[in-house]
């Protein structure tokens, strides 16, 4: 009897609370509060940036743009594409869409979900390279405002390096000397990484160290125009290098995720973390030691160097938005110098794609960006055109690179599988 | 034996008594069924048909007949994916059957030991995992099985040979409450007189269980197997949360549910094709139907004596 | 059964048997305690670690928090950063209204299916029950379009309607067996008294209460823990459910384990409380013939 009464009480109370609560929500959401302010919903996969948007970016925008309010609505990165596609198809996605680079957004544009943004004020500050992630194949139409690129590199624990008298490596040979020394010492795991998530091995490792082998853009274009194949030595060699990394990773690395590896590294138990500039904020917050970064090592000393400087995030507008004018106003602000300055400094490691230098007040970010002076930039190998068919090259690369590190696939076989997959649907056009 | 099986028999068996024929029972039935019919048809049947329709269209929305099925079973790439997912899904199901039935029945049998103190507490505790969201289950087991911080240092979830069995066991762990409670419900509804009669005849508790209780529980295996089959063929969340959409390592944990997701929405880097997603979904639906039919043909004939 | 010898003999037997029974009981308890630990261990692990400072989580993840490792900063982060009260309210509303909806709607249909003889009853039953074997996830694309055209995306009602539709087949399946068991005399008596059909329905409803409990639990668990439909149909900040909120939180604080563990711990509690509240009815529902 007691339980039943309690249960009924809880039910009624819950329903009442819920009902009243939702009433409030409706009143707020209906735009009653702030006169006739329009609320733009921003879709993004950058859940990590939520606080920065809410504390800094949104207030800055709202201050200078009365009558427009923003709501940052992130979806976890793994679910973003699917959830966004569903919401766009259902006609209920947010007004502003954070754009993944290349084909994912191109498909959205071709399906009529994104608007062209060429005529927005401020777009002339983005050159062809900056636009490359969000432009139609003929180069005529840009459909997202380029926001930022990220640069790949290796973080290291300076305390561990100092203790063992090690210098950050510049060549592959140096790298192995360093790794062996750390392994021999035994206090820290040489490479903090695991292969269970797969994407980090493919995106961070293979397309991070690879450009030095396939000469950046030259090698990337050669694959696209069919003058080179994955089975050529310059694409196999990075796999051969990766095949040696498993032994430097923690025991059981096959079951460690990217996040596990981050915890391992920031706890001080790992010496080197293959990553990218997007981790600066998190690492500076979590790591209890001095951080350093070094660029992907060179196969041979004195070779020209290449870095992966990947256009990563842009902003576009939902073609179905009811607030097109306000959305355009917001995107013009995203294209402005003010935004570039704000964004780059709030999220060091996301480098503005706008022409003209942006001052970034962060030592690690400076290190990353300084590589642009000496090295040639390129983007991730399969990102453009090679990912359109089936099997998609990203999927294949995820699978084979982690298998190479796990030792369950030889570098030659990995390359073979990539090329066969590509041949099955791709005909070089140029 | 016939007496208890009547008591256990479904309520359907207590067949239609004579009713006064009132004016147009059909109209009244319709009135009572209307809310269920409307909601169910609008928010389940209709969208489902809408979704499956895409299997007969291409990605641009043009009619292509059965071309997509041709691709799924004819194209080496797709057929390899499909059969691999189906095979692994069957293994996943087999693991459930092999582990959850004996364990669930054992737990239920122990819980029904006469005058066992704390039985309610045990029962509630064993059911706890079933109430947890897969987000929590995934997180907790990844921590427990983490080679860095966990209790085993073998990367169980990272090797092609162990990943699927490990995931199956986690899933069994999570859902064991359902078979356990089904068995439990059957066991406690066995008339006490039957058990007592057997005990008075001098049979041990062990013998009594096998001779009296077990045959009466047997039909429950069928119900549980069917429920498990349907649930397993739809499994998705656990693999997605623990191994990600790529169902690694080397697709060794790919199930029909994750294949559907990747086909329809693409993986991390995109590439989804709604038509192929709907095709995989339709094929999954067919697999479930065929399984159910086979089950009813075989199982019902086998255990005809006990009514399901 | 006479004579001292026989008495002595039985005594020895009884003692031996009792000893064996005590031993057997201890074994039964040992097994059940062992399995109970296995069952609640992982959840306890999450809760225990949510009260520990970061370093202690990784140094000794399997120990309980001690005064020196005690740390509630995770909970502070959660309450500062996330709108957990909103998520909680959303989840509660969605879960309770879905359960209520499934119960009312399926009870009515089950009553009709077991009470009235009419042409097409068999077909109607098959149609309504077929949904048990169809995973509604397959209907996602159609659902999004449907709710899009109804302008109901990002409303809790979208979720509630889907969950009610999803729960109807099983609800009818369980409840129709209960309704068929209600003594006919009782309904006839009501009818003779001139009661309308609604009244008859109302009279029978309390008699199938255990069935309602079972339906409630079977509806509640998947609804509260669902990740997929909140993600697709109602991802907005103001309509986010607890499970989705916790999941998003994991993305937001990948390395802030304190906050993650706190968020997960908070997500464990509500459904557990609901389950414990409903569990007696649930069990009665199962034992009184629902699932055979």
């Amino acid at each position: 009897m007691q339980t039943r009464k309690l249960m009924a009480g809880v039910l009624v109370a819950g329903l009442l609370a819920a009902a009243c609560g939702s009433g409030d929500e409706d009143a707020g959401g209906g735009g009653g509060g702030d006169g006739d302010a329009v609320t733009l919903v921003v879709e993004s996969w950058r859940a990590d940036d939520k606080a920065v948007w809410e504390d800094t970016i949104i207030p800055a925008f709202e201050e200078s743009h009365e009558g427009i309010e923003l709501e940052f609505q992130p979806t976890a990165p793994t679910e973003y594409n699917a959830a966004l596609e569903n919401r766009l198809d259902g006609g209920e996605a947010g007004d502003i869409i954070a754009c993944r680079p290349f084909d994912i957004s191109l498909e959205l544009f071709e399906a009529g979900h994104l608007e062209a943004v060429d005529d927005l004020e401020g777009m002339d500050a983005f050159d062809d390279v900056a636009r490359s992630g969000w432009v139609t194949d003929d180069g005529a139409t840009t459909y997202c405002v380029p926001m930022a690129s990220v640069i790949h590199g290796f973080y290291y624990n300076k305390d561990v390096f100092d203790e063992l008298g090690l210098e950050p490596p510049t060549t592959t040979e140096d790298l192995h000397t360093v790794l062996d020394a750390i392994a021999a010492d035994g206090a820290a795991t040489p490479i903090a990484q695991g292969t269970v998530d797969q994407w980090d091995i493919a995106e961070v490792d293979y397309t991070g160290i690879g450009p030095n082998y396939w000469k950046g853009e030259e090698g990337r274009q050669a694959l696209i125009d069919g003058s080179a194949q994955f089975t050529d030595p310059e694409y196999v060699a990075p796999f051969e290098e990766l095949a040696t990394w498993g032994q430097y990773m923690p025991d059981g690395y096959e079951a460690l995720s990217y996040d596990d590896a981050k915890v391992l590294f920031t706890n001080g138990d790992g010496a080197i973390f293959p990553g990218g500039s997007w981790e600066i904020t998190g690492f500076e917050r979590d790591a209890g030691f001095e951080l350093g970064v070094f660029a992907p090592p060179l196969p041979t000393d004195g070779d020209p160097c290449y870095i992966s400087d990947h256009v990563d995030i842009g902003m576009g507008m939902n073609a179905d938005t009811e607030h097109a004018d306000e959305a355009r106003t917001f995107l013009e602000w995203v294209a402005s110098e003010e935004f570039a300055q704000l964004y780059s400094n709030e999220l060091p490691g996301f480098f503005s794609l706008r022409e003209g230098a942006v001052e970034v007040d962060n030592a690690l970010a400076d290190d990353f960006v300084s590589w642009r002076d000496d090295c040639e930039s390129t983007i991730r190998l399969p990102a453009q055109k090679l990912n359109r068919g089936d099997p998609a090259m990203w999927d294949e690369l995820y699978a084979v690179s982690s298998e190479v590190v796990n030792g369950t696939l030889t570098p030659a076989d990995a390359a073979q599988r990539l090329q066969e997959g590509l041949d099955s649907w791709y005909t070089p056009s140029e | 034996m016939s007496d208890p099986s009547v008591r256990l028999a479904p309520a359907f068996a207590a067949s239609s008594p004579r009713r006064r024929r009132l004016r147009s029972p059909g109209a009244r039935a319709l009135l009572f069924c209307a809310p269920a019919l409307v909601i169910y048809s609008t928010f389940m049947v209709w969208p489902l048909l809408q979704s499956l329709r895409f299997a007969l269209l291409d990605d641009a929305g043009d009619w292509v007949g059965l071309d997509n099925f041709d691709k799924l079973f004819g194209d080496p790439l797709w057929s390899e994916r499909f059969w691999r997912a189906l095979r692994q899904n069957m293994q996943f199901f087999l693991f459930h059957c092999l582990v959850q039935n004996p364990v669930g029945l054992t737990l239920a049998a122990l819980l029904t030991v006469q005058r066992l103190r704390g039985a309610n507490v045990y029962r509630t505790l064993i059911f706890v995992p079933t109430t947890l969201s897969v987000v929590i289950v995934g997180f907790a087991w990844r921590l427990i099985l983490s080679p860095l911080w966990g209790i085993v240092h073998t990367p169980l979830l990272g090797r092609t040979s162990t990943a699927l069995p490990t995931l199956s066991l986690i899933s069994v762990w999570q859902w064991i409450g359902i078979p356990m409670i089904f068995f439990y419900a059957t066991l406690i509804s066995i008339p006490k007189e039957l058990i007592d009669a057997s005990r008075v005849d001098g049979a041990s508790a062990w013998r009594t269980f096998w001779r009296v209780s077990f045959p009466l529980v047997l039909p429950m295996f069928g119900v549980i197997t069917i429920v498990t089959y349907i649930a397993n063929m739809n499994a998705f969340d656990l693999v997605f949360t623990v191994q990600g959409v790529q169902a690694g390592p080397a697709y060794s944990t790919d199930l029909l549910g994750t294949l559907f997701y990747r086909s329809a929405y693409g993986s991390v880097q995109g590439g989804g094709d709604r038509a192929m997603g709907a095709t995989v979904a339709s094929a999954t639906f067919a697999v479930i139907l065929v399984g159910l039919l086979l089950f009813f043909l075989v199982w019902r004939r086998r255990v005809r004596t006990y009514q399901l | 059964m006479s004579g001292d010898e026989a008495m002595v003999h039985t005594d020895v037997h009884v003692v031996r048997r009792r000893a064996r029974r005590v031993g057997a009981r201890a074994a039964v308890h040992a097994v059940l305690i062992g399995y109970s630990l296995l069952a609640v261990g992982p959840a306890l692990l999450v809760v225990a670690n949510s009260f520990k400072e970061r370093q202690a989580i990784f140094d000794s993840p399997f120990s309980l928090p001690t005064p020196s490792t005690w740390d509630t900063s995770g909970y502070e982060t959660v309450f500062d950063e996330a709108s957990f009260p909103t998520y909680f309210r959303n989840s509660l509303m969605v879960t309770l209204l879905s359960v209520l909806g499934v119960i009312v709607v399926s009870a009515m249909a089950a009553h009709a299916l077991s009470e009235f003889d009419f042409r097409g009853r068999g077909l109607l039953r098959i149609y309504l029950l077929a949904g048990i074997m169809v995973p509604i996830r397959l209907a996602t694309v159609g659902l999004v379009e449907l709710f899009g055209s109804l302008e109901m995306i990002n409303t809790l009602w979208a979720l509630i309607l889907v969950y009610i539709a999803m729960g109807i087949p099983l609800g009818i399946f369980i409840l129709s067996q209960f309704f068929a068991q209600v003594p006919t005399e009782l309904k006839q008596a009501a009818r003779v008294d001139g009661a309308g059909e609604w009244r008859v329905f109302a009279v029978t409803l309390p008699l199938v209460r255990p069935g309602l409990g079972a339906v409630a639990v079977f509806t509640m668990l998947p609804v509260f823990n669902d990740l997929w439909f909140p993600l697709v149909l109602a991802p907005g900040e103001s309509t986010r459910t607890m499970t989705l909120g916790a999941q998003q939180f994991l993305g937001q604080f990948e390395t802030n384990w304190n906050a993650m563990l706190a968020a997960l711990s908070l997500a464990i509690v509500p459904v557990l409380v609901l389950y414990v509240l409903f569990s007696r009815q649930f069990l009665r529902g199962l034992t009184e013939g629902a699932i055979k």
Side-chain angles (χ1 to χ4, degrees), chain C residues 31-281:
Chain C
V31 171
L32 286 173
I33 289 173
Y35 197 90
S36 301
L37 284 178
L38 179 65
V40 293
L44 277 184
L45 181 75
V46 170
V47 176
N49 278 306
S50 72
F51 291 104
K52 277 153 61 172
E53 58 175 27
R54 182 184 149 94
Q55 201 56 45
I57 297 173
F58 298 104
D59 289 347
S60 50
F62 299 101
S63 62
L64 291 172
T66 63
S68 66
T69 59
W70 183 262
D71 182 2
T72 54
S73 67
Y75 289 91
E76 285 155 28
T77 316
V78 171
F79 285 116
D80 278 356
E81 298 266 340
S83 329
F84 257 82
T86 310
Y87 301 165
F88 178 73
R89 211 177 51 209
N90 291 340
S91 274
L92 207 64
M93 170 144 165
V94 168
T95 309
L96 293 178
L97 287 184
S98 302
V99 168
L100 201 70
V102 171
I103 285 180
V104 170
V105 168
S106 341
M108 283 168 62
H111 174 73
L113 285 174
S114 56
E115 193 58 19
F116 307 124
D117 233 337
F118 56 96
R119 220 185 305 158
R121 179 163 80 156
L123 272 180
L124 186 63
R125 175 177 284 144
I126 290 176
Y127 174 70
L128 285 170
L129 294 188
I132 293 182
M133 61 185 185
V134 183
I136 199 173
R137 196 196 303 276
L138 300 187
T140 306
V141 178
L143 278 170
V144 174
E145 261 174 18
L146 177 67
F147 284 115
S149 64
L150 296 173
E151 302 206 345
M152 283 175 71
I153 300 274
N154 268 331
T155 62
L156 296 179
W157 286 107
L159 292 179
I160 293 168
L161 286 169
V162 170
Y163 292 143
I164 293 179
M166 190 169 89
I168 283 174
L170 192 66
I172 293 181
F173 177 66
I174 294 177
L175 288 176
S176 49
Q177 320 214 11
F178 277 91
F179 275 105
Q181 280 178 333
V182 172
T184 332
E185 302 80 52
L186 200 116
K187 288 178 277 191
Q188 297 293 33
R191 289 211 180 91
V192 170
D193 287 352
E197 206 48 52
W198 285 104
R199 184 85 196 110
V200 177
F201 176 60
V203 168
T204 43
L205 212 49
L207 297 174
V208 299
R209 206 170 43 209
L212 303 180
V215 174
V217 170
F218 277 126
T219 311
M220 182 175 81
L221 296 179
V223 167
F224 187 90
N225 289 328
D226 186 35
L227 192 57
W228 177 249
F229 286 110
L231 186 68
V232 192
L233 295 177
E237 179 75 25
S238 62
T239 52
R240 204 164 290 172
T241 62
M242 197 109 177
T243 307
L244 181 60
Q247 166 77 1
Q248 299 289 318
F249 217 68
L250 298 196
Q252 199 180 334
F253 292 93
E254 301 162 322
T255 48
N256 187 345
W257 280 52
N258 293 87
M260 269 188 339
L261 290 161
L264 292 177
S265 303
L266 289 173
I268 293 176
V269 179
V271 69
L272 208 57
V273 170
L274 285 178
Y275 167 69
V276 170
L277 285 179
F278 278 106
S279 66
R280 187 184 299 172
Q281 296 289 334

Side-chain angles (χ1 to χ4, degrees), chain A residues 46 48-49 52 155 258-259 262-263 265-267 273 276-289 291 345-350 362 364 368, chain C residues 54 251-257:
Chain A
R46 292 287 309 163
D48 315 30
D49 302 348
V52 169
Y155 292 87
Y258 183 75
D259 290 344
K262 289 206 294 194
V263 173
F265 180 69
T266 52
N267 276 0
F273 181 91
S277 56
W278 61 89
E279 295 298 356
I280 291 177
T281 311
F283 278 3
E284 287 189 333
R285 180 188 62 221
D286 294 333
F289 49 85
L291 287 159
N345 275 295
E346 284 301 324
L347 294 164
F350 287 85
N362 178 291
L364 286 173
F368 273 108
Chain C
R54 182 184 149 94
Q252 199 180 334
F253 292 93
E254 301 162 322
T255 48
N256 187 345
W257 280 52

